[in-house]
């Protein structure tokens, strides 16, 4: 073997092994040959939470956390946010290239013409309790779509797969809109396919008695940009769930339900809501220094700061901060913005945060925009899920096409009992006594 190798000496046996290094990685399976005897299973790696394990090769999203870089299929997120649309970006993520004019027209037509849901799905949604959380409703209902489209299980048929992709992207805004209306006790508003994707979603949320809903262009554009910013983020928790559930070759509606369930958690899709709760807790500008002091004493976290991957300003947070100005011009300034700006100013000049490379992440300002646009806090993860659906689909398709992938099935280190014999109830109480 050449220089691109790793030499490992097993001090238990004195044996030396040479394993190839490719793309800065060794294959975990290459360690299996390292044994202390013929009955030994072979060496494994232990990596809870996949802190240092690549689970796939991917060509979709690139992140450089130290430099604050995010690119979809090579295109910088800043350029896509400024010049693309969510539907165009979704096409890019799923197909690998920006669409031609004809491709974009067809894609937009197909997605728009799959926004209507079966009336029985509406009835199904009606069955949720009056105060059901909209994200819980979305998780349940998107999974239920698989019972309406039975052919969706034919995932190896490209034409059939494409149809389910149109359905998923098209219906996600309808399910989200209906979940919102149900939780507010409002009649469902049907899709208007003459509107843009984001405009149609706003229509299904906020249309009242007017015959034709006209979204505010600034808010429509802002929502579209927020969908772009949330569209993909390589192997995050929900995307990993999408790949893992999908690796059993289940239909994509069930896999998206799994991914959305992962996003529902406060450590993933719920952090922007936590920022608002934190700002409420701080209450006034005067309390900020004391709050920062308590964070530095380890009594809590500055929510919306810090990231597992970004050790620099999250590029999405920069875009959102700029977007906030445009939105607040229309909606009026969210009174919490001044507190957020002051928190950021103090944190970015404070040794504690500088040393730990803690910068604002995507969630620091997004909640303020959502709230100003009229979204209740429990809708925030739903908005995230709409944008992320295209990323989930792109990653799921890539996984299906990847000959090296198999059903996801990690190993474990068993630390439980060795073999022991079953005891009757009488024997057990004697032992306990
Ligand atoms: N406020 C104060 N201190 C923090 C913060 C924060 N927001 N985040 C990290 N730190 C400190 C830690 O206490 C630790 O300090 P120490 O070295 O003295 O022990 C140090 O910075 C390193 O932090 P870790 O917890 O090791 O970083 P990790 O990568 O595991 O965590 C995470 C990243 C979970 C995002 C964390 O920064 C955090 O909890 N932030 C607040 C929640 C948040 O905004 N989440 C949204 C993330 S973006 C997204 O998911 C879409």
């Amino acid at each position: 073997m050449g220089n691109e190798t790793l030499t490992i000496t097993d001090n238990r046996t004195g044996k030396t092994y040479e394993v190839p290094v490719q793309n800065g990685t060794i294959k975990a399976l290459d360690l299996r040959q390292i044994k202390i005897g013929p009955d030994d299973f072979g060496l494994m790696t232990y990596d809870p939470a996949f802190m240092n394990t690549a689970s796939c090769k991917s060509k979709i999203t690139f992140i450089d956390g130290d430099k604050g870089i995010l690119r979809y299929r090579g295109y910088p997120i800043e350029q896509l946010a400024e010049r693309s649309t969510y539907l165009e970006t979704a096409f890019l993520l799923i197909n690998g290239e920006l669409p031609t004019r004809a491709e974009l027209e067809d894609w937009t037509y197909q997605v728009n013409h799959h926004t209507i849901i079966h009336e029985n799905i509406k009835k199904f949604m009606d069955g949720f309790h009056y105060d059901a959380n909209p994200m819980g409703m979305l998780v349940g209902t998107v999974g239920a779509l698989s019972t309406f489209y039975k052919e969706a299980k034919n995932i190896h048929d490209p034409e059939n797969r494409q149809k389910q992709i149109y359905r998923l992207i098209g219906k996600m805004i309808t399910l989200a809109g209906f979940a919102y209306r149900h939780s507010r006790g409002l009649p469902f508003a049907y899709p208007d396919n003459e509107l843009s994707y984001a405009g149609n979603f706003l229509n299904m949320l906020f249309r009242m008695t007017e015959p034709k809903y006209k979204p505010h262009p600034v808010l429509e554009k802002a929502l579209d940009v927020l969908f772009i910013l949330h569209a993909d983020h390589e192997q995050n928790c929900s995307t990993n769930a999408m790949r893992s559930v999908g690796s059993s070759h289940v239909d994509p509606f069930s896999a998206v339900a799994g991914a959305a369930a992962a996003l529902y958690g406060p450590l993933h899709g719920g952090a922007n809501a936590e920022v608002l709760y934190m700002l409420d807790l701080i209450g006034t500008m005067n309390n900020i220094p004391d709050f920062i002091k308590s964070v530095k004493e380890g009594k809590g976290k500055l929510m919306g700061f810090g990231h597992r991957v970004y050790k620099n300003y999250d590029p999405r947070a920069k875009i959102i901060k700029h977007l906030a100005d445009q939105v607040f011009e229309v909606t009026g300034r969210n009174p919490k913005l001044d507190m957020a700006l002051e928190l950021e100013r103090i944190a970015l000049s404070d040794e504690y945060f500088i040393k730990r490379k803690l910068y604002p992440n995507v969630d620091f300002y997004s909640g303020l925009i959502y709230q100003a646009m009229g979204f209740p806090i429990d809708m925030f993860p739903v908005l995230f899920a709409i944008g992320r659906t295209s990323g989930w689909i792109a990653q799921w398709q890539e996984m299906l096409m990847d000959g090296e992938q198999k059903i996801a099935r990690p190993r474990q280190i068993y630390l439980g009992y060795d073999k022991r014999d079953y005891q009757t109830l009488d024997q057990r109480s004697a032992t306990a006594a």
Side-chain angles (χ1 to χ4, degrees):
M1 286 193 216
N3 279 344
E4 292 294 301
T5 61
L6 179 74
T7 302
I8 304 167
T9 301
D10 186 348
N11 293 325
R12 301 170 301 173
T13 59
K15 281 193 195 164
T16 293
Y17 304 82
E18 200 177 350
V19 296
V21 176
Q22 223 184 11
N23 304 312
T25 314
I26 61 161
K27 279 193 178 158
L29 266 184
D30 284 343
L31 301 179
R32 192 70 78 71
Q33 58 181 312
I34 303 177
K35 299 180 179 199
I36 50 173
D39 294 336
D40 184 2
F41 180 76
L43 201 67
M44 292 193 300
T45 54
Y46 174 57
D47 190 9
F50 302 119
M51 296 281 286
N52 195 38
T53 294
S55 64
C56 62
K57 293 174 182 164
S58 183
K59 293 183 175 171
I60 302 172
T61 289
F62 172 79
I63 300 176
D64 183 328
D66 289 327
K67 295 196 182 120
I69 292 174
L70 170 62
R71 295 184 200 132
Y72 297 160
R73 301 280 187 186
Y75 294 102
I77 191 68
E78 294 79 5
Q79 291 184 23
L80 292 170
E82 195 186 326
R83 301 174 64 183
S84 185
T85 61
Y86 175 68
L87 279 190
E88 188 183 65
T89 299
F91 183 100
L92 168 72
L93 283 169
I94 294 168
N95 299 292
E97 295 296 339
L98 283 168
T100 61
R101 191 180 297 276
E103 282 171 336
L104 183 60
E105 271 169 19
D106 180 58
W107 168 246
T108 306
Y109 177 89
Q110 293 292 352
V111 170
N112 279 346
H113 285 77
H114 285 89
T115 50
I116 301 253
I117 55 174
H118 194 290
E119 283 293 291
N120 283 349
I121 298 175
K122 208 180 78 180
K123 286 189 204 150
F124 178 89
M125 295 190 88
D126 252 335
F128 281 104
H129 204 46
Y130 74 94
D131 62 351
N133 183 294
M135 186 64 176
M137 291 175 72
L138 184 74
V139 169
T141 317
V142 76
L145 289 182
S146 83
T147 65
F148 287 80
Y149 305 111
K150 296 197 181 107
E151 74 279 15
K153 67 177 190 293
N154 300 324
I155 54 163
H156 297 297
D157 168 5
E159 215 174 300
N160 175 55
R161 214 169 46 232
Q162 189 59 45
K163 181 111 187 231
Q164 312 319 320
I165 293 173
Y166 297 140
R167 283 178 171 150
L168 264 167
I169 301 206
K171 293 182 200 315
M172 211 62 180
I173 46 170
T174 314
L175 298 182
F178 281 25
Y180 170 80
R181 304 283 289 206
H182 180 79
S183 67
R184 293 291 167 277
L186 292 165
F188 296 130
Y190 281 71
D192 174 351
N193 293 340
E194 285 177 4
L195 295 173
S196 74
Y197 189 74
N200 199 359
F201 178 49
L202 287 169
N203 153 68
M204 286 188 271
L205 292 167
F206 299 132
R207 188 169 81 212
M208 298 311 275
T209 52
E210 65 273 39
K212 179 97 184 158
Y213 178 82
K214 286 202 188 85
H216 192 292
V218 172
L219 303 187
E220 182 184 7
K221 173 68 187 158
L223 194 58
D224 200 63
V225 171
L226 285 160
F227 288 157
I228 293 175
L229 299 183
H230 287 91
D232 197 49
H233 213 230
E234 49 124 295
Q235 305 311 312
N236 58 86
C237 177
S238 59
T239 300
N240 182 54
M242 180 79 193
R243 280 181 175 258
S244 186
V245 175
S247 77
S248 74
H249 290 179
V250 74
D251 67 88
F253 300 107
S254 302
V256 165
L263 190 68
Y264 197 176
L267 294 188
H268 191 11
N272 47 15
E274 297 297 326
V275 173
L276 292 188
Y277 296 137
M278 176 188 74
L279 294 173
D280 279 341
L281 189 79
I282 299 172
T284 65
M285 296 283 248
N286 296 343
N287 296 333
I288 291 179
D290 280 350
F291 179 77
I292 293 275
K293 188 164 163 272
S294 71
V295 167
K296 285 159 62 178
E297 287 166 0
K299 293 183 187 149
K301 281 194 169 164
L302 178 52
M303 298 310 290
F305 262 68
H307 197 277
R308 173 62 60 76
V309 179
Y310 293 117
K311 301 301 168 198
N312 200 325
Y313 214 104
D314 180 337
R316 300 168 299 174
K318 264 189 207 157
I319 298 168
I320 289 181
K321 200 175 163 187
H322 180 60
L323 207 59
D325 294 335
Q326 297 165 23
V327 169
F328 295 155
E329 260 182 45
V330 177
T331 62
R333 201 173 160 87
N334 188 326
K336 297 188 186 95
L337 178 69
D338 290 329
M339 274 204 291
L341 289 169
E342 180 62 3
L343 274 173
E344 181 188 326
R345 192 191 63 76
I346 295 180
L348 291 185
S349 55
D350 189 297
E351 185 56 26
Y352 175 95
F353 295 91
I354 295 170
K355 205 173 106 198
R356 290 169 179 78
K357 299 189 175 171
L358 299 171
Y359 293 87
N361 60 47
V362 69
D363 293 315
F364 193 63
Y365 289 106
S366 63
L368 292 173
I369 300 188
Y370 291 147
Q371 196 174 50
M373 286 174 80
F375 292 109
I377 291 182
D378 58 11
M379 273 298 282
F380 293 1
V382 173
L383 301 169
F384 197 154
I386 293 172
R388 188 55 57 89
T389 299
S390 55
W392 289 333
I393 292 169
Q395 301 268 354
W396 167 72
Q397 278 220 121
E398 189 177 64
M399 185 255 320
L400 290 178
M401 301 294 140
D402 182 346
E404 287 186 341
Q405 289 293 342
K406 288 170 179 281
I407 186 165
R409 205 314 186 177
R411 293 279 174 179
Q412 64 165 10
I413 300 169
Y414 178 70
L415 297 175
Y417 286 106
D418 206 347
K419 177 183 174 279
R420 51 185 182 155
D421 291 321
Y422 181 84
Q423 292 185 316
T424 63
L425 273 172
D426 288 342
Q427 285 171 323
R428 270 176 258 167
S429 32
T431 317

